[in-house]
Amino acid sequence: SLIKFSPHRQDTNMQSYIMIIEDEPDISGLLVKILQEAGYRTCQAFSGTEAELLLEKSVPDLILLDLMLHEII
């Protein structure tokens, strides 16, 4: 069975914010589409460097990280 998460934080009415760090555009795009349709706010980073820059501006509630990303290993 799939684990279902509520797209809203328990303490507020704000949407959860998910950062996707994935260097394959097709995979990243698919994840964005699925998560946004489920009501989540998303942002994408295609490299570790880009992710660091985005993290300086805003901290997400969840990070989906491609562990095979070259800059992460």
Side-chain angles (χ1 to χ4, degrees):
S1 70
L2 295 174
I3 298 172
K4 293 192 176 191
F5 294 95
S6 170
H8 300 286
R9 298 179 190 183
Q10 292 178 358
D11 59 341
T12 68
N13 229 3
M14 295 176 60
Q15 291 178 313
S16 295
Y17 175 52
I18 301 174
M19 178 182 286
I20 300 161
I21 306 172
E22 168 62 64
D23 60 346
E24 291 290 331
D26 291 341
I27 295 171
S28 184
L30 180 61
L31 289 170
V32 165
K33 180 180 178 188
I34 291 168
L35 292 169
Q36 287 181 350
E37 286 177 0
Y40 295 95
R41 289 186 310 124
T42 62
C43 75
Q44 296 171 275
F46 296 96
S47 69
T49 303
E50 186 178 4
E52 286 182 79
L53 292 171
L54 289 172
L55 287 167
E56 288 176 4
K57 296 179 182 178
S58 177
V59 177
D61 298 301
L62 176 72
I63 296 174
L64 297 179
L65 173 64
D66 175 3
L67 291 178
M68 299 302 289
L69 200 64
H70 301 288
E71 300 166 11
I72 302 297
I73 296 177

